[in-house]
Amino acid sequence: MTVIRTFLFAFALGLAAGAQAASTVRLPNWACNASNDRIFRSGLQANEWVPRAPSLGSGGAYPGVQVRTLNLPLGSGTQKIHLYIPPGYNPAYATPLVVTLHGTAGSPANADVYAQDVRNAWQSVAVTRGFIVAAPVANGPNGSWVSGAVGGNNDYTFLAAVMADLRSAYNIDGARTQLWGFSAGGHVAHDLLVNGPVSAYDENHLAAYAVSAGRLFSLACSGDSEAQCQNLLDTQARKLPLYIVLGANDPMTLPPLNAIDDPPRFESAGWVTDDTLGFYLHGGGHEYDAGHFVLVWNLFCRFALSP
């Protein structure tokens, strides 16, 4: 069911599809600081290799808040991507990208607002850390994400189009492209990454991902037994670096949904806590905060993708 939709998403990242699966590269500490990254981009520090996969795109407006509009497939109209381009963006250099997926908004109009909200929250980190933020607007009639492998105007094909458009308009670093989702967007993020086929076109085209108030059994493991879900994690070709944020008072965390059990599932499958797996339990409910994104970025910036 998920092979085709994940293929479309990963293919749109535009990285070379070789015979070997991609691998995770740990970056030097300076890669987490935008100003230092600019100093070393010339290659002066040759003993600290940082993979680059520039898309060489051009023509997109920058810097600051931007909006791009895409034509949806099957003549279904248009949809927006809300962007933030950091002040240090230079088309001559490949720039990291964080794609952000908002939660269920209740209506298409609210979905547009929700996408802007997550863009704005991530902007507070991107302005100093030097990455691009992209917040697509979900296409569902309830302001959420429409899944589905084939046919129709589903959001997995839309996300593929988003990635292709951004790589064409901006010089995106495919070695440092990450995905984050909140609530329903977090369910989608888990689904896209956990259910990728074991091939050159799968989760191996992202450097890392994160979920806030997301849950494995809401989509990625929907209909599975505990053993089947665990097997999905156990058999991942690469333990894609992941950060999970949950609220102690969030119904998603508490029984009967029990998203609090997700971090141990990943750890049991080979993710390493405080290394390839980050987890933060905040004191609030079903919400996100820009402060959480500092923690997420501190994991994102430590890893890159090497083909």
Side-chain angles (χ1 to χ4, degrees), residues 10-248:
F11 179 79
L13 295 180
L15 301 178
Q20 295 182 329
S23 61
T24 299
V25 174
R26 283 170 172 76
L27 299 179
N29 290 336
W30 57 258
C32 286
N33 183 289
S35 60
N36 285 342
D37 197 19
R38 286 192 289 271
I39 293 172
F40 286 99
R41 276 189 293 207
S42 63
L44 294 177
Q45 194 144 329
N47 63 322
E48 290 188 335
W49 179 66
V50 175
R52 303 287 185 187
S55 68
L56 304 178
S58 62
Y62 67 93
V65 170
Q66 309 293 339
V67 180
R68 294 185 66 80
T69 301
L70 294 186
N71 292 319
L72 297 176
L74 305 177
S76 300
T78 61
Q79 193 54 289
K80 294 177 182 176
I81 315 167
H82 293 283
L83 298 171
Y84 176 72
I85 314 300
Y89 174 74
N90 184 334
Y93 299 111
T95 300
L97 168 69
V98 176
V99 179
T100 66
L101 307 181
H102 62 80
T104 299
S107 70
N110 285 344
D112 188 76
V113 175
Y114 277 36
Q116 292 180 67
D117 286 346
V118 296
R119 188 270 319 279
N120 293 343
W122 270 99
Q123 174 182 332
S124 64
V125 182
V127 66
T128 57
R129 303 301 180 94
F131 57 87
I132 293 173
V133 179
V137 179
N139 287 297
N142 65 340
S144 192
W145 303 94
V146 181
S147 63
V150 292
N153 188 27
N154 69 72
D155 278 309
Y156 290 82
T157 55
F158 172 53
L159 290 173
V162 166
M163 296 307 303
D165 178 75
L166 294 178
R167 290 179 58 79
S168 176
Y170 297 95
N171 193 356
I172 301 295
D173 190 350
R176 300 180 68 186
T177 297
Q178 298 96 0
L179 178 69
W180 169 86
F182 170 69
S183 191
H187 308 335
V188 169
H190 275 320
D191 190 34
L192 283 168
L193 280 305
V194 170
N195 285 305
V198 182
S199 71
Y201 295 104
D202 60 5
E203 70 276 5
N204 287 315
H205 288 85
L206 287 177
Y209 84 110
V211 298
S212 296
R215 177 175 174 262
L216 279 171
F217 276 89
S218 288
L219 189 57
C221 295
S222 178
D224 291 344
S225 67
E226 179 67 40
Q228 289 170 324
C229 186
Q230 189 63 54
N231 184 65
L232 279 175
L233 302 181
D234 292 344
T235 56
Q236 292 299 299
R238 181 168 72 102
K239 307 306 181 186
L240 186 72
L242 162 66
Y243 204 102
I244 296 175
V245 180
L246 296 173

